[in-house]
Amino acid sequence: MKILAFAVALLVAASLSIPVVQAADAEKPPRLVLQITVDALRGDLPRRYAHILGDGGFRYLMDNGINYTNAHYRHANTETIVGHVSLATGTVPAAHGMVGNVWFDRELDRMTYNIEDPRYHLLSVGADVDQKTEIDPTQKAAKVDGRSPAAILSSTFSDELAVHYGARSKIFGVSVKDRGAVSLAGHAGKAFWFSKSTGEFVTSNYYYEKYPQWVTAWNARKLAQSYAGESWELTHESSAYLFGDADDREYETDFPGFGRTFPHPYGEAGDKYLTTRLTLGPAGDELTLDFAKTLLDNEQLGQDEVPDYLAISFSSTDYVGHIFGASSLESEENIARLDRTLADLLAYVDQKVGLANTLIVLSADHGQPEVPGHLHELGIEDAQFFDTEALDKTPAIAALKKKFGVGEELIQAYSQPYVYLNQDLIREMDLDQAAVELAVAEELEKFDGVAAAVSSTALRTSSLPDTLLMRSILRNFHPKRSGDIYLVFEPNVFINDFDGLIVSSTHGSPWRYDTFVPVIFAGAGLQPMTVSREIAPYDIAPTLAGYLGVKPPSAAIGNPLPEVLGD
Ligand SMILES: [Zn+2]
């Protein structure tokens, strides 16, 4: 059928003198699949800040691509690894297993970081997370330096590409965040990420025995260190920005040495927070771009008939959101700079591979909330921060302990979003696990700011009302990794304590500001279109698979998008 349709198209085109380049390309698979993820890019942000965008970046994608303007995740815990792996696998955490950035491993009897793996090590000495300077509390949870995708329980699109082409397809993931790279590279690809300890892009011996020569050469350039003494400055006159006269806000995080107003200094050479500050602004994305371009060139991606895959996750938007909020001059300027980074990337791919030969998809791992202080300025009063310290110290929980006759350790751990009960204690005391869960959940629901506390036993036995919220929590439930009670805060209520560093906002909720992300397919001769029908980012991996004629990832639940497949 396709050959016949193509022949007819050729005849029609010949008679009308229409160029047939795109139709001819459509018969062949693209040479490169470029999957761009912007960490925490809420779905409205590119259009909201459109006045600050140039040509060739977001504008190219929005004007020339298939733009899905109503894409939402349907799992409850909208955190980074959860979203990235959902993008990679086309399924929900209940199936791919990444229920949170960290979870309590009951066998190890400790919190564990999503991609830590004691069987492997980083290839670089001294590149492990520095517990003294790391500000990302989830990174600090890792107890070993090794990283691998072993905890991802289903296959990724990139895995399926490798299977389909018998490993002739080259597959890479790159990000500032290790979890942004490892997730999308899948089990078969190679991943590189930024070490704040060394300022280098690193990998583990899951992927390589030693670095490819070009990686060693890139790291020898010491590009991160070249930012020493420089500052993040505004690109335009302040009048060009929506928030041009609102730079200094008391609810923004005053990160040491970086400040709340422009220019934000990165610090001098040797400053132990220099590399951290690079990630809190657009420099982190610029480093990622430079590394990805070097990779594309040296690994000769997109240079033959077998499709290659490059996933790039840009992390700066997430950190800028946490520190300054989505409605800040810093966020607006960051989007302007990200737009230039994207334009640079697309121009480079066009030059090396050709955008007609490249299938591009851009999305995000989650959205982000507004800062309560900003909402208060607008008269929206209910926004607040939640004090988790209060959880285990209240009279209500004390009364519960008394009721069940237990001591201090009824709640073993709380790590967003799960409360972990002390199951050993519950067993030893011959208590009924379900009854304890239910009683604790009932008490938690009495807290101001708590929308729901959902017992895992209730999830297992389907004894909960069939609501959108309960479904999203069920989609997040994995029996071996989920905690005993899932805690949901009211909209605009969240925890802002990053292990001591007080941040402006934290995503992770099931509410629409955290589930809302852009999904744009472009390149490869796709015709521009805006689609407002609700879709989910789980559709992306099955769409890539369908487009390339590859079988879908093993646990995919998303549907191929007909506008991309041309159905
Ligand atoms: Zn994220």
Side-chain angles (χ1 to χ4, degrees):
M1 274 303 280
K2 265 196 165 176
I3 290 168
L4 181 63
F6 178 52
V8 171
L10 271 180
L11 285 171
V12 173
S15 63
L16 298 175
S17 299
I18 296 169
V20 291
V21 177
Q22 289 186 342
D25 287 343
E27 291 302 302
K28 287 189 273 176
R31 290 175 165 226
L32 178 66
V33 175
L34 177 62
Q35 181 155 18
I36 302 167
T37 307
V38 179
D39 206 303
L41 185 66
R42 202 175 61 205
D44 61 307
L45 294 180
R47 267 208 301 178
R48 181 192 195 186
Y49 293 137
H51 54 272
I52 211 92
L53 303 177
D55 290 328
F58 277 117
R59 274 189 201 286
Y60 168 80
L61 297 170
M62 292 192 288
D63 294 348
N64 297 282
I66 302 175
N67 189 2
Y68 293 91
T69 58
N70 192 17
H72 286 270
Y73 284 101
R74 292 169 188 163
H75 56 257
N77 189 20
T78 47
E79 290 185 339
T80 296
I81 191 63
V82 190
H84 275 88
V85 175
S86 298
L87 288 168
T89 61
T91 194
V92 292
H96 63 58
M98 291 302 199
V99 299
N101 278 337
V102 297
W103 60 83
F104 190 82
D105 186 317
R106 294 205 184 267
E107 275 173 31
L108 295 174
D109 196 34
R110 66 166 174 85
M111 298 306 295
T112 181
Y113 178 63
N114 53 78
I115 51 167
E116 69 172 282
D117 190 332
R119 298 173 299 164
Y120 300 101
H121 296 286
L122 297 180
L123 292 190
S124 300
V125 177
D128 192 12
V129 170
D130 181 348
Q131 294 288 333
K132 287 194 212 77
T133 57
E134 181 57 63
I135 60 165
D136 183 338
T138 62
Q139 291 277 5
K140 279 162 93 168
K143 293 288 179 291
V144 297
D145 70 327
R147 298 286 184 269
S148 89
I152 301 174
L153 303 177
S154 53
S155 75
T156 60
F157 163 71
S158 50
D159 290 339
E160 298 300 340
L161 196 61
V163 170
H164 189 94
Y165 285 100
R168 282 182 301 146
S169 179
K170 298 171 199 159
I171 293 160
F172 292 93
V174 177
S175 179
V176 154
K177 292 185 184 178
D178 52 9
R179 56 190 183 273
V182 169
S183 49
L184 288 153
H187 305 80
K190 310 280 191 195
F192 295 100
W193 57 92
F194 185 66
S195 163
K196 285 181 244 182
S197 300
T198 61
E200 298 175 329
F201 272 83
V202 300
T203 191
S204 83
N205 60 353
Y206 172 83
Y207 302 100
Y208 289 98
E209 285 309 310
K210 67 184 186 65
Y211 284 117
Q213 196 279 329
W214 66 264
V215 177
T216 308
W218 192 92
N219 283 329
R221 284 169 56 203
K222 299 200 175 298
L223 202 56
Q225 281 75 13
S226 73
Y227 285 86
E230 299 202 359
S231 298
W232 176 18
E233 294 179 29
L234 286 176
T235 314
H236 307 282
E237 292 294 316
S238 64
S239 59
Y241 300 86
L242 181 63
F243 293 101
D245 60 357
D247 190 3
D248 192 14
R249 284 289 180 269
E250 49 85 26
Y251 48 77
E252 295 179 352
T253 305
D254 190 359
F255 186 79
F258 204 48
R260 294 203 311 233
T261 56
F262 283 95
H264 294 280
Y266 294 125
E268 299 303 320
D271 184 324
K272 64 182 177 175
Y273 284 109
L274 169 68
T275 51
T276 299
R277 293 190 198 99
L278 296 181
T279 66
L280 303 182
D285 286 350
E286 290 163 13
L287 290 167
T288 307
L289 167 72
D290 196 277
F291 187 84
K293 283 162 69 176
T294 308
L295 186 162
L296 186 99
D297 204 20
N298 283 275
E299 297 290 341
Q300 304 202 322
L301 300 190
Q303 299 306 308
D304 62 26
E305 302 290 308
V306 178
D308 297 324
Y309 174 85
L310 176 60
I312 308 174
S313 178
F314 292 111
S315 308
S316 296
T317 302
D318 178 75
Y319 289 119
V320 172
H322 281 299
I323 300 291
F324 302 103
S327 296
S328 64
L329 183 57
E330 283 81 2
S331 270
E332 191 174 10
E333 162 65 14
N334 174 64
I335 295 293
R337 294 284 285 268
L338 170 65
D339 181 56
R340 293 304 82 208
T341 292
L342 290 176
D344 188 334
L345 172 66
L346 296 179
Y348 194 77
V349 170
D350 195 26
Q351 179 202 332
K352 294 285 176 180
V353 185
L355 292 182
N357 301 316
T358 305
L359 178 62
I360 304 161
V361 59
L362 178 143
S363 190
D365 54 343
H366 49 76
Q368 52 175 303
E370 291 293 332
V371 179
H374 177 63
L375 295 176
H376 294 165
E377 287 174 346
L378 301 170
I380 301 168
E381 292 177 337
D382 62 353
Q384 56 169 294
F385 297 123
F386 189 85
D387 178 16
T388 47
E389 291 285 300
L391 275 185
D392 198 40
K393 292 180 186 157
T394 58
I397 299 292
L400 264 181
K401 288 176 178 171
K402 207 170 165 191
K403 176 182 167 193
F404 289 110
V406 298
E408 279 309 299
E409 314 90 15
L410 180 59
I411 293 178
Q412 187 163 24
Y414 171 70
S415 181
Q416 195 171 327
Y418 289 111
V419 175
Y420 296 83
L421 299 179
N422 190 335
Q423 292 184 348
D424 292 342
L425 187 71
I426 290 169
R427 258 192 306 275
E428 273 167 33
M429 300 198 59
D430 213 20
L431 298 170
D432 176 32
Q433 168 82 20
V436 177
E437 278 177 26
L438 216 57
V440 174
E442 270 177 20
E443 288 307 321
L444 291 174
E445 283 190 345
K446 291 177 187 164
F447 278 81
D448 192 25
V450 171
V454 181
S455 143
S456 285
T457 303
L459 287 172
R460 273 194 193 87
T461 54
S462 309
S463 55
L464 288 163
D466 185 16
T467 63
L468 286 178
L469 181 61
M470 295 304 159
R471 283 191 202 179
S472 75
I473 295 170
L474 189 57
R475 290 189 191 105
N476 218 93
F477 179 68
H478 188 277
K480 288 190 183 140
R481 296 179 183 173
S482 290
D484 300 302
I485 296 163
Y486 194 112
L487 197 56
V488 185
F489 298 110
E490 300 279 3
N492 295 325
V493 176
F494 43 79
I495 297 160
N496 68 334
D497 185 343
F498 262 34
D499 221 11
L501 177 71
I502 302 302
V503 296
S504 299
S505 78
T506 315
H507 54 82
S509 82
W511 306 117
R512 288 306 227 189
Y513 48 77
D514 279 344
T515 61
F516 185 27
V517 293
V519 173
I520 308 176
F521 283 83
L526 293 178
Q527 296 302 306
M529 197 185 302
T530 299
V531 182
S532 60
R533 179 183 78 251
E534 184 174 343
I535 65 154
Y538 319 115
D539 297 333
I540 291 174
T543 301
L544 294 175
Y547 191 94
L548 274 85
V550 169
K551 72 180 177 347
S554 55
I557 59 157
N559 296 305
L561 295 163
E563 295 83 4
V564 179
L565 266 54
D567 293 345

